Amino acid sequence: MPQVKVYRSGMLIARSDPAPGDTVLKHLSDSGIFLDAPCGGRGRCGKCLVRLSPDGVEVRACQTVITGDTDIYLPGEMEMEIAGDTKSGTDTPPPAAAGGEPLGVAVDIGTTTVVAHLTSLRTGGRAATAGGVNAQRPYGADVISRIQYCASNGHGQLTALIRGQLRGLIAEACADAGADPRAIEYIAIAGNTIMEHLAADLSPAGMGVAPFRPLSLFGDDTPVWEELGAAPGAAVYFAPAISSYVGGDITAGMLAAGLEDTEGPCVYIDIGTNGEIAMKLGDRYLCCATAAGPAFEGAEIAMGMAAVQGAVNHVVWEDGAVKFTTIGGAPAEGFCGSGLLDALALLIRQGAVDETGRLLSREEASGAISEYLESKDGKNIFRLARDCKVYMDYADVRKLQLAKSAIAAGIQTLLAHAGIGEDGVRSFVLAGGFGSFMDKDSAAAIGLFPKVFLPVTRTVGNTAGEGAALALCSAGARAALSAMRERCGYIELSTSPVFNEQFVEQMMF
Ligand code: FES
């Protein structure tokens, strides 16, 4: 029987026996070691790199089958930005006491990260928070890859992964707070419709093919599953979804962002691999979802990466030169979403990307920016600095252009349905991690949203977890979430002539 040894930073961290025919990626995942695998192991993204000896060449973990004794050397620790203790407002209740109180858990299951807040059901105070990279990540960076995996292999593996992760996070938070998981009586979960299906042990496969039907739109209590280790008789609440691609994370997020208290017109947007967009108008809501693709998350971009150590997160043009920063101040390894957005805005402003989205050659561009343009394998690229390995190529610009066009066209379609112009919008709410970290001026410069939104833009961070916390502690909040769904109209963009027309129009820079 072959043996596998796994090393990180030179230290042996695991020793195990692989199943016959396992790839390195599958074996690591089965061993509870999660490697970034944005394309879900289809061999397309080239991001699941490991070495099989300390100084050996990098190989793609998803394409490498273990055939004998194998040593696996992992890249550095993956540190994701986790939305932790971000309870907003000034009336934060006191922390929960460790013993004897009924406890609850508010959970935000994102496609990328999962966060659990252990909370006192009596005071609403947060006792502890635990979070991590979504354990399903080896099955793809985006929900489409995970749906495809479930369609071919069933959803059992992904359900087991998320349930195992939730159990682990709850145990971690309980250990931090000195609490017993069996004191947990209620759990409120907010996630996109696919993540909620998987946590609820329902197949998301139907959402991957027309007519894109979910098995449930949630919004009710279900009995807790035994392996979570909570109190017997505890219940799990899933925030109500509106459609396959506008989920409980959006209803919960809108509640936490206070949309119920605004008259509107207000536009709320959460940009990830999908762009979910909602509008509040009087007491009605309209919403839609656009397939922006994973470009804004750095996936399927030549030098894209997650927002971890070494990712270029900010790029500006200053004193006639490119200046950039990286997460953690580490040497630049690639671009994360906010860096990509800044770089593209810079190229547009400096005239190195024309209005059709073409990245010019050094000869075609004028001014100091031409110093940063090169030809690589016969294609135009923009390199951050002469001695820097990080660059953006013409194809990256195209992918970002498609993504921004999808979002911008979604916004225009909602405006058209509501019958209001861009300048009629009173407030523009940017939710989600990417919305918080991106530079608003860069986003407006590439045309992700109209420039007239800038003065009324508000960033609210990861509101899904906040919405889950409200739902956890308040029957009124749960009733409000159900009522929001009843008052929300859904626009299917794939069959909308307005969207199709706008998608072409918004391609221009
Ligand atoms: S190439 Fe291996 S996960 Fe994408």
Side-chain angles (χ1 to χ4, degrees), residues 163 187 199-200 220-226 228 231-238:
R163 289 187 167 192
I187 295 165
D220 296 315
D221 286 353
T222 57
V224 75
W225 47 94
E226 208 185 306
L228 215 50
V236 181
Y237 169 82
F238 287 96

Side-chain angles (χ1 to χ4, degrees), residues 155-200:
H155 68 280
Q157 168 75 351
L158 297 198
T159 292
L161 280 172
I162 189 62
R163 289 187 167 192
Q165 182 168 28
L166 289 178
R167 182 191 173 95
L169 292 178
I170 287 173
E172 190 184 326
C174 283
D176 264 10
D180 182 344
R182 281 165 304 180
I184 293 169
E185 294 180 1
Y186 201 40
I187 295 165
I189 294 178
N192 63 50
T193 316
I194 290 85
M195 292 303 113
E196 290 197 356
H197 270 67
L198 290 169

Side-chain angles (χ1 to χ4, degrees), residues 79-98:
E79 295 163 30
M80 302 288 296
E81 194 85 37
I82 305 292
D85 224 353
T86 55
K87 197 163 180 66
S88 55
T90 53
D91 56 347
T92 305

